[in-house]
Amino acid sequence: MARNVCEEILRVLEGAGVTQIYGVTGDALNPLVDAIRDNPRVRWIGVRHEETAAFAAAAYYQITGTLGVCAGTVGPGALHLLNGLYNAKKEGAAVLAITGQVPHVEAGSDFFQEVNLARVFEDVCVFNQAIHSTDQMPRLVQQAVQNALSGPGVTRLELPSDVAPETVSNGEMAHETFEPYSEVVPGTEDIARAAEILNEAHKPTILAGSGCRGARDELLAVAAALRAPIVHALKGADVMEFDNPYWVGLTGLIGTDAGYHAVEDCDALLMLGTDFPYRVFYPKGVPIVQVDIRGANLGKRAAVTHGLLGHVRPTLSALLPLLDGRADGKHLEAIQARRKKWDAKMDKKASLDAKSSHLRPQAVAAAVSDAADDDAIFTVDVGECTVWAARHVRLRGTQRMIGSFNHGSLGAALPAALGAQSANPKRQVIALCGDGGFGMSMQDFVTAVRYDWPINVIVFNNGTLGFVKMEMEATGFAEYGEATDLVNPDFARYAEICGGLGITVRETHEVEPALREALASPRPCIIDAFVNPNELLMPPKIAPAQAWGFSVSKLKEILAYTQDKLP
Ligand SMILES: Cc1ncc(C[n+]2csc(CCOP(=O)(O)OP(=O)(O)O)c2C)c(N)n1
C-alpha cells in the first residue's frame, strides 16, 4: 500500500511504541495531523504552546521509557519548542521533535516564516536532519528514533511542506527501531580497586543520583555493608522511600543538615549515577569512587580517585561480595541523629496546626505529601516551591518526582503533569508550582480539561518571584519589587473558567479539605494557596559570601533558625 511521507513517519513511530504526539499544527504539519486522524494507534494532543509540547514529551519519556514526540510548525512554531527541548536534553529524555519548513522552491529566499532551523537546533539535537526526498523514507525517521533512544537525547526531523504529502515508493525497506539496552559492568580489576578504597574508610558516604533508579536493593545492601549513609541528589529523590534509615537526605543549597554533613564529614565518597553539579558541596581531600554509565561524567565535578564505567545495579552487585569495610557505624549513627533532629524541625515547620498567622508553604507541601497516592507522580517547578517539594514531600519509593532539575526552567511543572497524566490517565498527578512558574504555562491548563486529565495543580502563591527575591537579598542587592513582585489573576476562578475545579486556600485549616476535594475530583484542579511570602529558606551551609549579603536582622533570623549549622 502506497503511503505518504507522514504516514511513513507514523509507521516507524508506532513501531517504537509511540502513542501520542504533542504539538500545535499549521502549514507543513497539516498532512501529519491528517495522517494521525486516520491512525488508530497514534493520537494527536493539541496543546496551546509548543513549549508545553516539548516539556510534555520529555515527561512522557521519563515516566514510560517510551520515546516522547512533539511537533511545531514552520519558523515560530518550531522555535517555541526550543526551551522544552533543552529541558529534555538536560534531563536525559529521549524526545523527537518534528518541525515544519517552507517548501523547497522558497528555501533560502527569506520566505514568510523561514528560519534556518538546522542551525538553530544544532546545539540541542544529537540528530538534526531534513527530509528532502521521499527516497530518504523511512530510513531517516528510523535514524531519528534510534538516535533519540540511544542517547537518550533530542532529535529533530524537518518536514518541508512540499515533501510532507508526497507518496513514498520504497516503504518496504522500513526496519524496526531498537531500544538499545545492555547492562554494563566494570572490569573485575576496577571493581577490586573500588572495594579496596572503600574498605579503607571509617566514615564512608554514598551520594546517589537518578542513575540508581532500579537499584534500590543493591544500594541498600552496599550501604549496609559499608555502614554508609546515602545522600541523594534531587533527581534521585524518588529512588528510595523517605523513611529508610540509610536514606538521610539531600545535599546542596536546598539540602538538609544530615545530607550536608554526611558528605562534608566523610572520609570516602561513593558517587553512584549522579552528576550533582555543585562543586562546593563535594568533600575535599578524601578518596572518591564514582560509578556512571556516561564515561564523560567521571571526574567532571570532583577530584575522583577511581572512576568506573558501568550501570549502578550490576556494579553494586559485583562490588558487594568484596566489601569488608572498617567502618564501625559511628558515622552513620551521627548522621542519623542529625537527620532525626532535622526531620523534627521540618515537621514543626510543616505542622498544619502551626501557630502562624500565615499559611506556611511547608505545611501545604507536607499536606500534599500525606494526601497523595502511593504511586502518585509529582511534577515540580523551579523556585522556592522546589525547596518545599524537596524537603516536605516524603516520597515512598513507589512514587515519582520529575522536574526541570538540571535545566532549571520555570513553567515546566504543568506541561510535565500533562505528559505524565497522558501516559497514565489513572495515576494521580500533582504539579507543585510557584505563581511565577505557573504563570508561564497556565494557558495549557485548558488542555487538561479538554482531554479529561484530572491533574492537580498546587500554586504556592506568594505574590512574588520568591527564589529570585531571596537570591537578590542573599547577594546584597537592594529589594526591587518592580522586578520580583507579581500581579496575579485569581487562579481558582481561572480554573473554573477553563472548566476545571478551582479552590482558594488562605488559612491552614483549609488545606486538608481542599486537598481531599481536589484529589477526589475527576476534573483537573487548581488549588491557589496563598502562602507566606516571608518564609525563610535555609541552606544547610551558608557560604560566607551569602551570609554577608544578608542584612543583620536577616542573619539573626537565620542564626536563630539554623543554630549550630553555620560553618
Ligand atoms: C524560564 C526561566 N526564567 C527565569 C528563571 C529564573 N528564576 C529562577 S527561580 C525564579 C522565581 C520563581 O518564582 P515563582 O514561580 O513565583 O516561585 P517561588 O520561588 O516564589 O516559589 C526565577 C524567575 C528561570 N529559572 N527560568
Side-chain angles (χ1 to χ4, degrees):
M1 186 186 100
R3 295 184 180 84
N4 69 22
V5 168
C6 295
E7 289 163 338
E8 273 297 278
I9 292 175
L10 292 181
R11 188 156 73 98
V12 177
L13 294 184
E14 273 177 48
V18 171
T19 54
Q20 39 220 351
I21 299 177
Y22 312 86
V24 179
T25 190
D27 208 312
L29 292 186
N30 293 341
L32 181 69
V33 290
D34 190 52
I36 293 175
R37 185 211 316 265
D38 297 327
N39 186 301
R41 284 172 292 277
V42 180
R43 188 178 186 194
W44 178 261
I45 306 290
V47 295
R48 306 301 288 266
H49 193 295
E50 291 84 353
E51 185 174 293
T52 303
F55 277 134
Y60 180 83
Y61 172 82
Q62 286 174 297
I63 296 299
T64 63
T66 302
L67 177 72
V69 185
C70 57
T73 186
V74 183
L79 294 177
H80 265 179
L81 292 170
L82 263 181
N83 185 45
L85 291 178
Y86 270 99
N87 178 68
K89 172 186 160 116
K90 295 200 55 133
E91 300 304 311
V95 170
L96 165 65
I98 301 173
T99 72
Q101 188 51 286
V102 300
H104 280 93
V105 66
E106 298 295 352
S109 72
D110 192 21
F111 192 56
F112 175 65
Q113 291 192 324
E114 186 182 10
V115 170
N116 186 340
L117 296 177
R119 197 181 287 173
V120 171
F121 283 79
E122 192 179 297
D123 180 54
V124 73
C125 287
V126 291
F127 177 94
N128 178 27
Q129 295 295 330
I131 305 172
H132 292 298
S133 153
T134 57
D135 292 341
Q136 294 169 289
M137 296 295 293
R139 205 152 52 99
L140 210 61
V141 190
Q142 191 271 345
Q143 285 177 68
V145 173
Q146 200 66 50
N147 274 278
L149 292 172
S150 303
V154 174
T155 61
R156 185 183 74 100
L157 271 180
E158 179 171 298
L159 201 52
S161 58
D162 53 328
V163 176
E166 279 186 10
T167 302
V168 174
S169 53
N170 63 345
E172 68 277 7
M173 280 178 63
H175 50 98
E176 294 285 323
T177 50
F178 303 96
E179 211 162 323
Y181 186 78
S182 54
E183 282 209 321
V184 178
V185 195
T188 40
E189 275 176 28
D190 270 345
I191 300 271
R193 173 89 183 101
E196 200 181 311
I197 295 168
L198 295 168
N199 283 338
E200 284 295 307
H202 294 274
K203 300 192 293 175
T205 288
I206 296 172
L207 177 60
S210 61
C212 294
R213 184 154 293 114
R216 176 192 171 278
D217 295 350
E218 291 76 8
L219 188 56
L220 274 184
V222 165
L226 290 172
R227 295 184 183 82
I230 310 168
V231 178
H232 62 89
L234 188 54
K235 266 185 91 176
D238 53 10
V239 165
M240 179 102 53
E241 63 280 6
F242 168 84
D243 52 6
N244 190 289
Y246 287 96
W247 195 245
V248 298
L250 277 164
T251 184
L253 260 183
I254 63 170
T256 69
D257 175 61
Y260 168 69
H261 278 282
V263 175
E264 188 69 11
D265 302 347
C266 75
D267 66 353
L269 185 71
L270 173 58
M271 291 172 64
L272 298 172
T274 178
D275 187 30
F276 177 71
Y278 298 102
R279 284 187 294 144
V280 58
F281 285 97
Y282 282 95
K284 302 276 174 306
V286 306
I288 299 179
V289 174
Q290 183 179 5
V291 179
D292 206 296
I293 191 55
R294 297 185 183 210
N297 284 351
L298 299 174
K300 189 158 91 178
R301 310 290 181 190
V304 166
T305 317
H306 191 52
L308 295 91
L309 181 81
H311 284 104
V312 171
R313 203 191 63 78
T315 304
L316 292 184
S317 295
L319 187 63
L320 187 62
L322 307 184
L323 297 178
D324 55 355
R326 297 186 176 180
D328 57 9
K330 287 214 174 71
H331 172 57
L332 176 63
E333 281 162 26
I335 297 301
Q336 284 169 336
R338 281 184 180 275
R339 181 236 169 116
K340 216 168 148 193
K341 266 173 82 178
W342 174 274
D343 285 355
K345 192 170 272 184
M346 289 296 119
D347 281 344
K348 214 164 139 200
K349 279 265 159 195
S351 159
L352 277 176
D353 45 45
K355 301 255 177 308
S356 163
S357 51
H358 298 290
L359 176 58
R360 285 198 162 136
Q362 298 95 321
V364 175
V368 171
S369 175
D370 289 346
D373 285 349
D374 282 344
D375 65 346
I377 299 169
F378 298 94
T379 67
V380 183
D381 227 303
V382 171
E384 291 185 344
C385 52
T386 318
V387 185
W388 313 138
R391 291 188 179 164
H392 298 281
V393 175
R394 297 184 166 178
L395 296 165
R396 297 175 206 156
T398 44
Q399 299 167 319
R400 286 294 306 272
M401 183 184 270
I402 56 175
S404 188
F405 296 147
N406 277 347
H407 185 46
S409 175
L410 286 192
L414 172 75
L418 297 175
Q421 190 79 82
S422 70
N424 300 275
K426 296 218 166 354
R427 213 165 148 182
Q428 191 179 66
V429 176
I430 303 173
L432 303 170
C433 308
D435 42 353
F438 181 65
M440 283 197 186
S441 51
M442 63 188 276
Q443 78 286 337
D444 262 298
F445 180 74
V446 80
T447 302
V449 176
R450 174 179 179 181
Y451 290 102
D452 273 331
W453 292 330
I455 61 165
N456 303 279
V457 179
I458 317 292
V459 181
F460 290 82
N461 187 345
N462 55 9
T464 175
L465 298 172
F467 196 87
V468 174
K469 194 172 162 199
M470 190 258 329
E471 198 175 66
M472 288 172 82
E473 206 172 331
T475 37
F477 291 108
E479 197 174 329
Y480 186 34
E482 193 72 17
T484 52
D485 289 353
L486 295 171
V487 176
N488 289 321
D490 180 332
F491 292 124
R493 269 186 67 199
Y494 170 73
E496 298 281 341
I497 290 165
C498 290
L501 173 66
I503 307 172
T504 302
V505 169
R506 290 179 191 275
E507 309 265 340
T508 303
H509 68 88
E510 294 169 336
V511 174
E512 278 180 326
L515 279 169
R516 263 197 303 277
E517 187 182 351
L519 296 178
S521 168
R523 284 196 287 163
C525 174
I526 296 175
I527 295 182
D528 186 9
F530 281 80
V531 296
N532 179 14
N534 299 316
E535 275 306 315
L536 205 56
L537 285 178
M538 171 200 26
K541 174 193 180 186
I542 300 181
Q546 279 173 298
W548 295 130
F550 280 97
S551 65
V552 173
S553 62
K554 266 290 190 257
L555 198 56
K556 272 189 188 156
E557 263 181 85
I558 291 170
L559 283 167
Y561 193 76
T562 58
Q563 294 160 16
D564 58 342
K565 313 260 170 2
L566 282 176

